[in-house]
Amino acid sequence: MPRPITATVHTDALRANMARLRAAAPDARVWAVVKANAYGHGIERVFDGLRGADGFALLDLEEAQRVRALGWRGPVLLLEGVFEQRDLELCSRLDLWHVVHCDEQIDMLAAHKTKLAHRVFLKMNSGMNRLGFQPERYRAAWARLNALPQVDEISLMTHYSDADGPLGIAAQMAVFAAATRDLPGERSLSNSAASLRHPTSAVAERRQAELQSASDWIRPGVALYGSAPDFPQASASHWGLAPAMTLASKIIATQDLLAGQSVGYGSAFTATAPMRIGIVACGYADGYPRLCPTGTPVLVQGLRTRTLGRVSMDMLSVDLEPLLQAGQQIALGSEVTLWGRASEGALLDIDEVASAAGTLGYELMCALAQRVPVLVAD
């Protein structure tokens, strides 16, 4: 039989999370962000769960081709725009919308020969300082684009750097509103954190810009997959989000330790009293973080316990004492939920596991190894 580890993508959770994001911004249209192969879930696997979106936003042409191959005929947005001149040919052929964030991309458009004018999203650097035109140069960039026959409609966008923290979005929103005050075009501002933590931001921006009739697009990413964008300030359950991925395995051995005995490489955990431990078929070669220390939460048969010692390439150890004290019988093949949804319904947020490793749920999703079989469940 194959090694007993699987990941499951939950279509029902994707649909529920999409509904939750729509409820947070009921007057906005929704980009489902599926960059990085849908945050590690697989574009093809999440498509049915996210096809209720108004459009799909992603990074590169290969991902865009995959979305079109699935039969999607609605909007597809390249979040970083094109990288070279010939990319525009495929944008024309596949009817892709794309971000424009620098003068060089405008130059490419000006030199592009096409019968189909392009829909573009002009990006402002309102404080993130990654991509986009500075506010004082934004209008000039808009004017250049507006003069090109290769350009159809121009939408206006920016990206918040601190929507998940105490600084919030007010300063960037004010910069964006001032620089775009009388410019026409739809606005796209809010990521997952802004959509959930600042649900009136799109309306407030429109009022500041006196563009009440404009349609906004929100751009949720990680929240669609069931991770809280502001963990540990708030959990996924606080925001009404459901885990879209479960990583599960099984107990493949048990060991009884005496006080003073250790487990794993480096003897990183030593028992202080007699105890039973379980060995789980999951390690860092499966995408589970090697940096997870003793005490990282895990579910065994739906009950919460902890990891022990170092994570190995193919295995990790868990504490079975809480289950034995609860009267649970543990045997080879007992279910272990590394994150996500146990078979009887108990939940373990991916954010908790990521936090123990000093990282974010985003990284764990994207790091799922190719050797792990992935199932899709509704």
Side-chain angles (χ1 to χ4, degrees):
M1 64 176 288
R3 187 163 167 265
I5 183 170
T6 58
T8 302
V9 174
H10 302 286
T11 303
D12 59 344
L14 292 166
R15 293 193 187 108
N17 295 338
M18 173 64 72
R20 175 66 183 89
L21 270 299
R22 280 203 182 278
D27 297 324
R29 284 181 282 177
V30 180
W31 289 112
V33 179
V34 293
K35 63 181 180 176
N37 197 26
Y39 288 61
H41 293 66
I43 288 174
E44 289 77 10
R45 299 185 194 108
V46 305
F47 181 69
D48 280 344
L50 297 180
R51 67 189 309 163
D54 299 289
F56 286 90
L58 36 76
L59 287 190
D60 59 49
L61 292 170
E62 186 270 338
E63 291 177 329
Q65 289 175 300
R66 289 164 62 190
V67 171
R68 288 292 188 226
L70 290 166
W72 179 255
R73 295 294 174 259
V76 175
L77 177 66
L78 298 177
L79 287 168
E80 293 179 356
V82 298
F83 301 104
E84 57 184 9
Q85 179 76 41
R86 63 181 179 179
D87 292 348
L88 290 170
E89 298 173 9
L90 197 54
C91 287
S92 294
R93 194 181 321 145
L94 296 178
D95 189 21
L96 305 180
W97 301 0
H98 50 98
V99 167
V100 172
H101 62 77
C102 62
D103 288 312
E104 290 80 1
Q105 289 177 329
I106 300 179
D107 294 339
M108 293 180 201
L109 271 167
H112 180 50
K113 296 179 180 179
T114 179
K115 295 180 180 179
L116 178 66
H118 288 216
R119 172 76 178 269
V120 300
F121 279 62
L122 181 62
K123 189 163 191 176
M124 181 190 298
N125 175 11
S126 61
M128 174 72 89
N129 289 313
R130 295 191 310 187
L131 303 180
F133 291 89
Q134 293 290 338
E136 62 272 16
R137 297 192 57 239
Y138 193 76
R139 287 175 175 271
W142 184 92
R144 280 194 70 196
L145 284 172
N146 193 50
L148 294 179
Q150 295 91 338
V151 173
D152 180 15
E153 186 174 344
I154 305 171
S155 296
L156 316 179
M157 74 181 293
T158 193
H159 193 63
Y160 293 129
S161 59
D162 292 280
D164 58 345
L167 290 180
I169 65 173
Q172 282 185 263
M173 192 170 70
V175 168
F176 183 85
T180 62
R181 185 167 301 277
D182 57 355
L183 291 180
E186 296 179 345
R187 270 69 171 156
S188 179
L189 293 93
S190 296
N191 54 12
S192 291
S195 299
L196 292 171
R197 289 169 57 92
H198 310 278
T200 61
S201 61
V203 174
E205 192 281 329
R206 289 205 304 272
R207 287 174 178 166
Q208 288 187 44
E210 298 180 351
L211 287 168
Q212 286 89 342
S213 62
S215 296
D216 290 308
W217 292 81
I218 62 171
R219 305 188 305 273
V222 75
L224 290 174
Y225 305 98
S227 175
D230 55 351
F231 187 87
Q233 300 170 66
S235 65
S237 60
H238 170 83
W239 293 120
L241 302 172
M245 177 192 288
T246 294
L247 181 63
S249 188
K250 294 181 179 180
I251 298 289
I252 59 172
T254 61
Q255 297 289 342
D256 291 306
L257 301 185
L258 300 175
Q261 290 187 316
S262 301
V263 60
Y265 288 115
S267 299
F269 173 80
T270 300
T272 58
M275 65 183 301
R276 181 168 295 178
I277 66 171
I279 310 303
V280 182
C282 178
Y284 59 78
D286 300 300
Y288 193 87
R290 182 180 178 276
L291 294 178
C292 281
T294 291
T296 300
V298 63
L299 304 179
V300 177
Q301 294 188 169
L303 294 181
R304 191 179 180 98
T305 183
R306 59 176 180 153
T307 63
L308 301 173
R310 290 185 186 172
V311 176
S312 303
M313 178 180 284
D314 309 304
M315 291 176 281
L316 56 83
S317 304
V318 296
D319 184 356
L320 297 181
E321 287 300 305
L323 287 92
L324 298 175
Q325 293 168 12
Q328 290 281 337
Q329 297 298 314
I330 307 299
L332 298 190
S334 292
E335 178 190 67
V336 179
T337 305
L338 288 312
W339 62 70
R341 184 193 309 174
S343 59
E344 45 54 74
L347 300 179
L348 175 59
D349 285 353
I350 193 171
D351 299 315
E352 285 195 71
V353 181
S355 180
T359 186
L360 302 171
Y362 304 64
E363 185 175 355
L364 270 60
M365 295 174 187
C366 295
L368 184 70
Q370 288 188 344
R371 76 176 188 174
V372 177
V374 183
L375 310 174
V376 178
D378 202 345

